[in-house]
Amino acid sequence: MMFRRMIVPALVSAVLAACSTTPERKEPTVGNSPSIPVEQATPDYAPQDYLQLAREANSPEQKVNLLLDAADAWQADDCDSSLRVIEAIREQLHDRLAVERATLIEAECIYEQNLTDLAQQVLLSVTFSQPDNERLLQLRAKLAEQQKQPLEAARLYHRLGQYDPGYYQQVWPMLKRLSLKQLEQAVFSNPELNGWIQLAIITRQYATEASLMATQLARWQQNFADHPANTLVPQDLTAAINTQALNPQRVVVILPLSGKLASQGEAIKQGLLASYFAQAAPTAHLDFIDSQSVDMVQAAEQAKQADLVIGPLIKDHIETLQPLIPDTPMLALNSVDQTVSHLHYYFALAPEDEGKQLAESLALQQYKHPIVVTSAQSSMVRMATSFTSTWRAQQGSEPPQVEFSDNKAMRDGLEGLLEVDHSNERIKAIQSMHPGEVFAFHRNRQDVDAIVLFASPQETELLVPIIESSISPFSDIIPVFASSRSFSHDLKANSLRDLNDLSFIDMPWMLPDHQWQALQQQSDALWPNRRDSLKRLFAMGHDAWILIPKLRHMQVLPEMRVDGLTGKLQLDANQTLQRTLSWGKISQQQVIKLARE
């Protein structure tokens, strides 16, 4: 490989030097050109064959085009050589089409090396005269997909359908990644995708109502009779129409209703019953089993006679119970490492989910250099670890992190991350050399663009003022983000003032201005002193019941989202419900809900 790295530029240089006439350098032109169009592929020969042909060429333009052919041929299995050819002939590219072709080959090779952002920059450096050619559209579609721009990727794959109808099959998976709100907004800005988008909206609005979905699908087929989706897409829609929703008449609920977890179990039970009695005419019979007084073998005997099991809450209990009832539908209230039945679903309020969402959300907001400050508490460490691993997987870098166990370690660790301690040392050194009064302000590092906290509400109250005091008056404000566990909704006005501008994720149930305001008022009236953690478990119980008739359709249509008290709920490939939390922010001593997807 080292020999090849050395020989390729040498061969290209020799070929170029063999040209008997060297043209005067000129800028790429738009007019008629002997260059090969950007989309033309030349797979007929090996790279060395093209090099030989380039030696025998009669003109510099011919030589350059044949060397581009060599770069193109090398691209299949040796992008390094391809890039070296492009670099070697860059100064010889004198017309527009040659520049475009070289740029496309270079961008394709860079993309193959997983340098997505750099490949995008290379493409944007040239305005292509043939923007709709197949090869260029292919690369742009792949880039959009990698950069989590599913709507743009769908638009590009749709355009590629003019070359090969097989590309249409890529449009539907891209649109399935969008929420209902995003689809509704896309209708107006993407007319060429109108048919696709209308079909995707049908899957969101009518997925659990088979007859309505069938009617809407038939209407769509009439309106878009010649649309490619008629033959390529509706398989999953047909499956959804033919899927019968769970409608259990006997439900066994397994919760800890005594012992040290009794308050958690009771909160879930109360949320479930609130959702149950909100139905117009509830018909299901509920049997509650106390998991602290009945072992799972005994519980399984009752569960086998039921149409559905909700619970258990404790992970060990789930792992014991699930192999005993493989044929009974179950919505377990925790996650497990291994599933045993396609009839079992899992719903958890896992700390790791919040760390993952924070990382994904900050990346979407174009933050590049966050730092992580975490308490030594196990749940906080789990969230921080999830944030870090998600960020590393998506961004390819490890965010700096500090963990603290007491107030002093908190301040020292944060100042160390921001490099305020080094600045203070320099100030002290200058002061020691000048006996008179020295006016100085510390400086913090300038590359940090976000601070992520994983700490308790009490620790967060201390951390945010420390952050503010650590930022130099000459620096931009660094935004601070936190999880739901870093904020308490029982904080007084003074505490809220100290947390001004803190952004955090939380359940919609825990934020103001939500659609369940009447239920919230009723809950507060019945349990006025209930702590935040139990309020969240109440919401979990509520959502567990509303999910029952939707679970099978969520399994058929993984893109389907359900708006719940706990967040936007979506079923993943492991039959585990994933939550997308809402965003809140503290502003002027009150919590506001942010309109953010």
Side-chain angles (χ1 to χ4, degrees):
M1 179 60 73
M2 181 60 71
F3 174 74
R4 178 178 287 181
R5 289 178 179 177
M6 295 171 61
I7 200 67
V8 170
L11 283 172
V12 174
S13 298
V15 172
L16 291 172
C19 177
S20 58
T21 60
T22 303
E24 182 182 351
R25 175 64 194 235
K26 56 184 177 181
E27 294 301 317
T29 59
V30 183
N32 294 330
S33 168
S35 294
I36 300 172
V38 69
E39 74 274 14
Q40 183 171 332
T42 53
D44 300 329
Y45 302 105
Q48 292 79 4
D49 296 327
Y50 287 115
L51 289 179
Q52 182 59 39
L53 289 170
R55 290 191 186 94
E56 301 167 0
N58 296 321
S59 70
E61 290 84 358
Q62 234 180 352
K63 288 180 183 294
V64 167
N65 286 329
L66 287 164
L67 289 171
L68 284 173
D69 288 341
D72 223 345
W74 254 312
Q75 188 186 29
D77 58 4
D78 185 10
C79 258
D80 282 346
S81 292
S82 185
L83 289 171
R84 289 186 180 88
V85 172
I86 298 296
E87 186 58 34
I89 65 174
R90 197 177 300 279
E91 294 300 316
Q92 308 299 320
L93 299 174
H94 299 311
D95 67 84
R96 177 171 182 169
L97 291 181
V99 170
E100 291 177 17
R101 189 174 176 215
T103 301
L104 181 57
I105 295 170
E106 182 180 12
E108 287 172 331
C109 276
I110 293 171
Y111 172 80
E112 291 300 324
Q113 296 175 345
N114 296 318
L115 299 172
T116 305
D117 291 343
L118 181 57
Q120 179 81 352
Q121 292 174 20
V122 170
L123 273 190
L124 292 175
S125 68
V126 169
T127 301
F128 287 85
S129 57
Q130 302 164 340
D132 272 357
N133 75 75
E134 182 177 3
R135 189 165 162 182
L136 178 58
L137 286 174
Q138 273 184 321
L139 180 57
R140 290 176 60 200
K142 291 177 183 177
L143 287 169
E145 190 172 349
Q146 288 293 320
Q147 294 173 330
K148 299 188 184 304
Q149 299 172 352
L151 184 60
E152 175 66 7
R155 188 180 66 81
L156 293 166
Y157 282 125
H158 178 76
R159 286 191 180 180
L160 280 163
Q162 65 184 299
Y163 298 103
D164 182 352
Y167 286 117
Y168 288 129
Q169 297 186 29
Q170 301 299 317
V171 177
W172 189 241
M174 295 299 103
L175 293 182
K176 288 170 70 157
R177 299 182 185 182
L178 301 175
S179 68
L180 176 59
K181 181 179 178 181
Q182 290 170 323
L183 288 167
E184 289 172 339
Q185 293 172 340
V187 168
F188 304 102
S189 57
N190 293 269
E192 62 188 306
L193 291 176
N194 185 43
W196 294 99
I197 294 171
Q198 294 290 351
L199 188 62
I201 288 174
I202 290 172
T203 68
R204 304 296 198 280
Q205 292 182 329
Y206 305 103
T208 59
E209 302 173 71
S211 60
L212 281 175
M213 189 176 206
T215 301
Q216 292 294 325
L217 182 56
R219 185 177 300 169
W220 180 90
Q221 289 171 328
Q222 288 179 351
N223 294 335
F224 299 94
D226 298 325
H227 198 280
N230 264 306
T231 57
L232 294 174
V233 174
Q235 291 87 349
D236 53 358
L237 304 189
T238 302
I241 291 171
N242 295 326
T243 296
Q244 187 174 0
L246 278 171
N247 183 27
Q249 295 305 298
R250 186 185 176 192
V251 179
V252 169
V253 184
I254 305 174
L255 291 169
L257 300 174
S258 63
K260 63 181 181 179
L261 295 177
S263 58
Q264 288 92 325
E266 285 293 340
I268 294 172
K269 177 181 177 180
Q270 289 155 2
L272 192 152
L273 289 174
S275 184
Y276 174 82
F277 286 114
Q279 294 176 294
T283 58
H285 176 77
L286 304 183
D287 289 328
F288 287 89
I289 295 176
D290 181 5
S291 60
Q292 301 305 97
S293 60
V294 175
D295 65 43
M296 289 302 104
V297 176
Q298 294 174 299
E301 293 304 313
Q302 295 187 54
K304 288 175 183 177
Q305 309 305 316
D307 302 315
L308 173 73
V309 175
I310 298 178
L313 177 64
I314 300 170
K315 188 172 182 177
D316 289 346
H317 290 171
I318 299 171
E319 292 174 340
T320 301
L321 180 65
Q322 61 178 3
L324 301 176
I325 55 168
D327 299 322
T328 303
M330 176 176 69
L331 176 57
L333 300 179
N334 209 326
S335 58
V336 293
D337 297 327
Q338 187 172 359
T339 63
V340 299
S341 171
H342 72 282
L343 299 176
H344 295 170
Y345 310 91
Y346 305 89
F347 182 22
L349 306 182
E352 290 84 353
D353 295 344
E354 296 195 36
K356 178 182 178 183
Q357 182 181 334
L358 278 169
E360 292 174 343
S361 184
L362 263 61
L364 285 174
Q365 296 176 61
Q366 302 300 313
Y367 290 101
K368 299 295 184 184
H369 304 288
I371 60 174
V372 179
V373 182
T374 180
S375 166
Q377 298 176 42
S378 61
S379 61
M380 304 302 171
V381 172
R382 287 164 61 188
M383 282 192 284
T385 301
S386 176
F387 179 94
T388 300
S389 60
T390 303
W391 189 270
R392 185 192 312 115
Q394 293 192 349
Q395 305 297 317
S397 61
E398 186 93 9
Q401 179 175 324
V402 65
E403 183 179 311
F404 63 85
S405 55
D406 55 48
N407 293 350
K408 184 178 186 304
M410 177 195 301
R411 179 179 290 276
D412 292 346
L414 182 60
E415 290 184 349
L417 269 186
L418 292 172
E419 297 182 0
V420 174
D421 51 352
H422 295 163
S423 178
N424 287 332
E425 289 174 4
R426 290 191 294 271
I427 290 172
K428 289 180 181 178
I430 293 173
Q431 287 174 333
S432 66
M433 293 184 289
H434 297 274
E437 189 173 5
V438 176
F439 296 95
F441 293 98
H442 63 254
R443 301 267 184 173
N444 56 275
R445 57 188 292 184
Q446 298 300 300
D447 60 328
V448 175
D449 57 5
I451 299 174
V452 184
L453 305 182
F454 296 108
S456 70
Q458 296 76 22
E459 291 165 335
T460 303
E461 276 193 76
L462 297 174
L463 272 167
V464 172
I466 292 175
I467 291 171
E468 290 181 353
S469 65
S470 299
I471 304 301
S472 168
F474 307 107
S475 301
D476 294 334
I477 295 173
I478 303 176
V480 183
F481 301 94
S483 75
S484 67
R485 304 189 183 212
S486 295
F487 175 75
S488 171
H489 293 267
D490 296 327
L491 293 176
K492 306 301 180 185
N494 287 341
S495 298
L496 290 174
R497 184 176 59 249
D498 291 339
L499 298 177
N500 195 48
D501 288 336
L502 174 71
S503 298
F504 62 97
I505 54 174
D506 208 339
M507 294 180 182
W509 174 244
M510 303 298 289
L511 296 172
D513 189 29
H514 55 71
Q515 64 192 61
W516 299 284
Q517 188 171 2
L519 179 60
Q520 182 74 73
Q521 291 171 348
Q522 184 181 27
S523 174
D524 289 342
L526 290 171
W527 302 286
N529 298 316
R530 173 171 277 170
R531 62 182 185 270
D532 287 352
S533 61
L534 296 182
K535 290 179 181 178
R536 295 188 175 97
L537 290 173
F538 175 93
M540 183 187 196
H542 180 279
D543 285 358
W545 187 258
I546 68 169
L547 282 165
I548 290 169
K550 306 179 188 297
L551 287 170
R552 286 179 175 170
H553 291 88
M554 295 174 78
Q555 203 167 5
V556 174
L557 299 171
E559 70 273 17
M560 181 178 167
R561 295 170 172 87
V562 174
D563 286 327
L565 273 63
T566 58
K568 288 185 181 294
L569 301 162
Q570 190 171 10
L571 199 65
D572 68 14
N574 297 318
Q575 297 170 204
T576 300
L577 288 150
Q578 300 295 330
R579 296 180 302 133
T580 300
L581 301 179
S582 298
W583 278 95
K585 186 173 184 177
I586 301 172
S587 177
Q588 297 181 351
Q589 300 181 36
Q590 63 180 347
V591 177
I592 59 174
K593 184 179 179 181
L594 301 178
R596 184 182 295 166
E597 274 284 331

